[in-house]
């Protein structure tokens, strides 16, 4: 029950992108087509799940015993960057098709703050390993939900008659903020 | 001060970094995917502009396509001829057609010369204007001048000047993007070395052309007579230069009454005979179509500068390399 709550909370109530405003960069950058948005979000979900577990291990067995929790951010960045590199190599070798599908998105995730964010948030909420894993997967799903929905909207914006001053990024920003306001409606769903 | 407060973070993070480094180094060996070494070589030779001018998604994709034979080694518009030669060395094939080409807009009917048939107030896009009775210019073959090609050019090499698109030949990389978007089909790829150009596509009869544009080809055929090298072909009421025969003598441009045939006369070369090499064989004067070389047999030859048009025929024929074009 607790796990389900965590999942719902991270997907809807505290949506990574639309409520916590993490990962805005790929949210705006890679949301021009639903197809590429899907590829990006699958890669993000994948990395988020592994990264949150890895960073939990580093936190629990390295940083806490040594009393250097203040190095959390740097340590996590290190873990995530190394992890993404490693995952990329493994995927390239073992599954060329998956590598082709994720393609350029994998290295991009190294700099995705949503991945770092979910790791730090999990630690901050004192989750155990299983909860951290669920939170990581949930974070990925919440990112997927936001970016794929948004990509759908932007695809329709392409053909919409938009005033010249608002064409391109301005209207995307407005759409994103309306999205965020809509997701405010989930506040209070879970206390 | 507690030295441990500095030591532990340094040791931990340093240790983590070294650990990841070792793992990654091991993984890169263990999970190394063998790539064709040629792909890497080709990739290194490419200009890395990632412009997509070749039609592939960036330089990496182009390199792979070249190695797998899907793309020609001349496919990169940015690298041009020198790159094609380099790729040819890597791939073990010789580059053909390595002469640099540029795009040229075949129209000179600017706002001063071509008449407007109505005032166009729609969106600034050539295709939209084309749909409205073939554009606002009364010549339906001419440049609409709304700059769809300007927007398409990734190299800022084409600009609309006074109602007609003009290519900046220095910047043009012959990527063909403007050619693809032009609804009038008046942009062509031409060898850069060819100076002379017929700047009209109008296939109507002379009188009709005159009514719509001051600088259109009126099919008078004076250029055909002026050309001593049979390089001008006449078809559909329009002169066309056969660039395999054109020698840049610019006689057609001189003869053209409407100045439809354009040539930059500043670039016209003159032949010059080096006295120390000339043996007086008269071969050059025999081949000169313009009687611009004088000199007796066994005597030194001289080029009459006012008659020479820079066709390079003598330069090609001189057995002693005594003639220089400058």
């Amino acid at each position: 029950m607790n796990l389900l709550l965590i999942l719902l909370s991270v997907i809807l109530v505290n949506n990574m992108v639309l409520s916590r405003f993490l990962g805005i960069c790929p949210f705006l950058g890679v949301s021009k087509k639903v197809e590429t948005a899907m590829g990006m979000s699958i890669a993000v979900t994948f990395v988020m799940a592994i990264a949150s577990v890895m960073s939990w291990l580093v936190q629990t067995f390295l940083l806490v015993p040594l009393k250097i929790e203040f190095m959390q951010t740097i340590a996590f960045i290190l873990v995530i960057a190394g992890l993404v590199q490693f995952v990329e190599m493994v995927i390239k070798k073992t599954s060329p098709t998956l590598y082709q599908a994720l393609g350029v998105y994998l290295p991009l995730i190294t700099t995705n703050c949503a991945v770092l964010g979910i790791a730090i948030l999990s630690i901050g909420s004192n989750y155990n390993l299983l909860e951290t894993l669920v939170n990581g997967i949930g974070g990925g799903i919440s990112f997927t939900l936001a970016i794929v929905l948004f990509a759908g909207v932007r695809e329709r914006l392409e053909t919409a008659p938009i005033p010249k001053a608002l064409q391109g990024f301005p209207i995307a920003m407005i759409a994103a903020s309306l999205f965020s306001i809509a997701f405010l409606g989930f506040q209070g769903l879970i206390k | 001060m507690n030295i441990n407060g500095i030591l532990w973070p340094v040791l931990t993070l340093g240790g983590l970094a070294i650990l990841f480094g070792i793992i990654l180094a091991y993984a890169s060996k263990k999970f190394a995917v063998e790539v064709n070494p040629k792909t890497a070589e080709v990739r290194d030779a490419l200009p890395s502009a990632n412009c997509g001018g070749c039609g592939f998604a960036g330089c990496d994709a182009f390199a792979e396509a070249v190695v797998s034979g899907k793309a020609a080694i001349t496919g990169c518009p940015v690298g041009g001829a020198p790159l094609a030669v380099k790729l040819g060395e890597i791939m073990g094939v010789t580059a053909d057609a390595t002469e640099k080409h540029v795009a040229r807009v075949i129209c000179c009917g600017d706002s001063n010369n071509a008449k407007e048939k109505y005032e166009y107030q729609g969106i600034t896009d050539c295709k939209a204007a084309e749909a409205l009775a073939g554009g606002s210019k009364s010549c339906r073959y001419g440049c609409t001048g709304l700059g769809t090609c300007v927007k398409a050019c990734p190299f800022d090499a084409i600009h609309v000047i006074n109602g007609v698109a003009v290519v900046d030949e220095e910047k043009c990389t012959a990527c063909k993007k403007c050619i693809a978007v032009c609804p009038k089909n008046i942009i062509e790829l031409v060898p850069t070395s060819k100076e002379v150009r017929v700047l009209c596509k109008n296939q109507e009869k002379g009188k009709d052309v005159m009514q719509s544009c001051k600088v259109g080809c009126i099919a008078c055929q004076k250029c055909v007579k002026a050309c001593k090298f049979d390089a001008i072909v006449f078809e559909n009421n329009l002169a066309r230069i056969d660039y395999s025969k054109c020698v840049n003598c610019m006689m057609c441009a001189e003869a053209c009454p409407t100045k439809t045939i354009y040539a930059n006369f500043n670039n016209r070369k003159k032949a010059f005979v080096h006295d120390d090499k000339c043996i007086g064989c008269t071969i050059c004067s025999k081949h000169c179509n313009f009687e611009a070389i004088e000199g007796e047999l066994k005597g030194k030859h001289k080029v009459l500068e006012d008659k020479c048009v820079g066709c390079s025929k003598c330069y090609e024929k001189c057995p002693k390399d005594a003639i220089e074009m400058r």
Side-chain angles (χ1 to χ4, degrees):
Chain A
M1 192 57 205
N2 192 24
L3 293 180
L4 192 66
L5 273 182
I6 290 174
L7 204 60
L8 264 182
S9 152
V10 76
I11 294 175
L12 292 177
V13 183
N14 293 319
N15 187 288
M16 290 306 288
V17 181
L18 299 168
S19 299
R20 290 206 194 272
F21 308 117
L22 293 169
I24 297 290
C25 173
F27 177 67
L28 289 171
V30 207
S31 60
K32 271 204 164 156
K33 277 192 197 152
V34 171
E35 202 180 307
T36 49
M38 206 62 209
M40 179 73 183
S41 37
I42 289 172
V44 167
T45 312
F46 187 62
V47 173
M48 263 190 187
I50 307 177
S52 44
V53 170
M54 281 295 289
S55 46
W56 187 87
L57 293 176
V58 169
Q59 169 82 11
T60 323
F61 295 113
L62 218 56
L63 301 187
V64 173
L66 294 172
K67 296 196 177 64
I68 48 168
E69 292 97 330
F70 59 87
M71 295 306 286
Q72 198 186 43
T73 314
I74 288 184
F76 286 5
I77 290 174
L78 192 66
V79 169
I80 292 167
L83 192 71
V84 171
Q85 283 285 316
F86 183 72
V87 167
E88 192 186 353
M89 282 179 203
V90 174
I91 291 181
K92 201 173 179 180
K93 179 76 176 178
T94 51
S95 167
T97 34
L98 185 61
Y99 180 73
Q100 289 246 310
L102 299 182
V104 290
Y105 304 122
L106 262 183
L108 277 180
I109 295 167
T110 321
T111 52
N112 188 342
C113 59
V115 178
L116 182 65
I118 200 87
I120 290 180
L121 285 171
S122 296
I123 304 297
S125 312
N126 287 322
Y127 288 153
N128 62 30
L129 186 58
L130 187 61
E131 287 167 336
T132 304
L133 177 65
V134 171
N135 197 32
I137 296 172
I141 297 173
S142 82
F143 183 82
T144 312
L145 182 75
I147 197 171
V148 171
L149 284 180
F150 189 55
V153 169
R154 280 188 80 176
E155 274 188 0
R156 301 186 74 171
L157 282 178
E158 286 282 305
T159 51
I162 298 161
K164 199 171 184 184
L166 293 178
Q167 275 169 15
F169 261 109
I171 195 72
M173 296 279 193
I174 293 171
S177 57
L178 289 177
F179 247 92
S180 181
I181 293 172
F183 265 72
L184 273 181
F186 288 114
Q187 295 288 346
L189 185 67
I190 299 166
K191 195 178 172 285
Chain B
M1 200 190 115
N2 185 2
I3 192 73
N4 283 348
I6 298 171
L7 204 59
W8 277 121
V10 170
L11 282 181
T12 325
L13 286 181
L16 268 181
I18 291 172
L19 182 71
F20 281 131
I22 292 170
I23 293 175
L24 286 181
Y26 176 72
S28 70
K29 282 267 185 290
K30 175 93 179 167
F31 295 106
V33 179
E34 285 189 18
V35 287
N36 193 336
K38 269 187 183 171
T39 314
E41 251 181 273
V42 170
R43 178 65 188 84
D44 287 342
L46 293 177
S48 301
N50 279 319
C51 63
C54 52
F56 293 90
C59 294
D60 281 321
F62 178 68
E64 248 166 56
V66 167
V67 173
S68 59
K70 281 182 209 143
I73 52 171
T74 50
C76 178
V78 181
L83 177 69
V85 173
K86 221 191 262 175
L87 295 189
E89 278 168 19
I90 298 169
M91 297 298 296
V93 289
T94 46
D96 51 339
T98 47
E99 187 172 6
K100 190 177 183 294
H101 283 59
V102 285
R104 276 181 193 157
V105 181
I106 311 297
C107 178
C108 55
D110 57 22
S111 315
N112 305 337
N113 294 320
K115 285 182 196 131
E116 300 278 318
K117 63 185 168 209
Y118 64 87
E119 194 182 338
Y120 179 73
Q121 291 186 328
I123 56 170
T124 40
D125 183 83
C126 299
K127 283 174 188 158
E130 165 75 10
L132 268 179
S136 64
K137 280 197 182 128
S138 48
C139 168
R140 66 190 174 95
Y141 299 91
C143 175
T144 43
L146 294 172
T148 296
C149 50
V150 178
K151 282 178 219 146
C153 181
F155 304 101
D156 190 34
I158 192 164
H159 300 280
V160 174
I161 299 169
N162 202 9
V164 168
V166 178
V167 176
D168 182 342
E169 301 199 358
E170 295 273 298
K171 287 185 186 165
C172 179
T173 60
C175 71
K176 303 186 191 168
K177 285 205 170 144
C178 52
I179 297 179
V181 296
C182 180
K184 297 281 192 184
N185 290 324
I186 53 167
I187 308 182
E188 286 175 2
L189 271 198
V190 189
T192 316
S193 61
K194 301 298 177 187
E195 289 281 345
V196 192
R197 58 205 86 164
V198 181
L199 291 179
C200 186
K201 278 268 187 181
N202 197 320
Q203 299 179 0
E204 289 162 5
K205 293 233 164 63
K207 202 181 156 211
D208 300 331
V209 177
M210 265 199 262
Q211 275 171 357
S212 51
C213 181
K214 282 187 220 162
V215 289
C217 177
I218 52 171
C220 66
Q221 308 215 15
K222 276 190 182 162
C223 50
V224 181
K225 282 173 209 131
C227 185
K228 298 252 175 32
F229 303 94
D230 295 329
I232 296 196
V233 198
F234 219 81
E235 52 195 19
N236 298 328
N237 293 320
L238 196 60
R240 185 172 63 81
I241 297 176
D242 180 350
Y243 281 120
S244 62
K245 289 181 183 166
C246 177
V247 294
N248 284 340
C249 74
M250 308 184 185
M251 290 308 283
C252 49
E254 270 181 26
C256 183
T258 53
K259 297 293 161 221
T260 311
I261 304 185
Y262 169 85
N264 187 352
F265 291 106
N266 293 332
N267 290 345
R268 195 179 229 181
K269 290 179 174 151
K270 296 279 176 198
F272 178 80
V273 183
H274 286 282
D275 282 350
D276 50 332
K277 286 185 186 164
C278 179
I279 53 166
C281 66
T282 71
I283 288 178
C284 52
S285 64
K286 273 180 202 150
H287 280 97
C288 183
N289 283 331
F290 304 93
E291 292 167 359
I293 299 183
E294 63 176 11
E296 298 297 311
L297 187 65
K298 304 281 180 194
K300 299 290 175 199
H301 289 348
K302 215 180 112 201
V303 177
L304 300 172
E305 291 235 337
D306 52 330
K307 283 191 179 172
C308 178
V309 294
C311 72
S312 313
K313 276 286 161 203
C314 49
Y315 166 76
E316 284 161 23
K317 296 292 177 187
C318 181
K320 291 287 167 192
D321 289 334
I323 297 179
E324 186 193 346
M325 300 303 297
R326 61 186 188 189

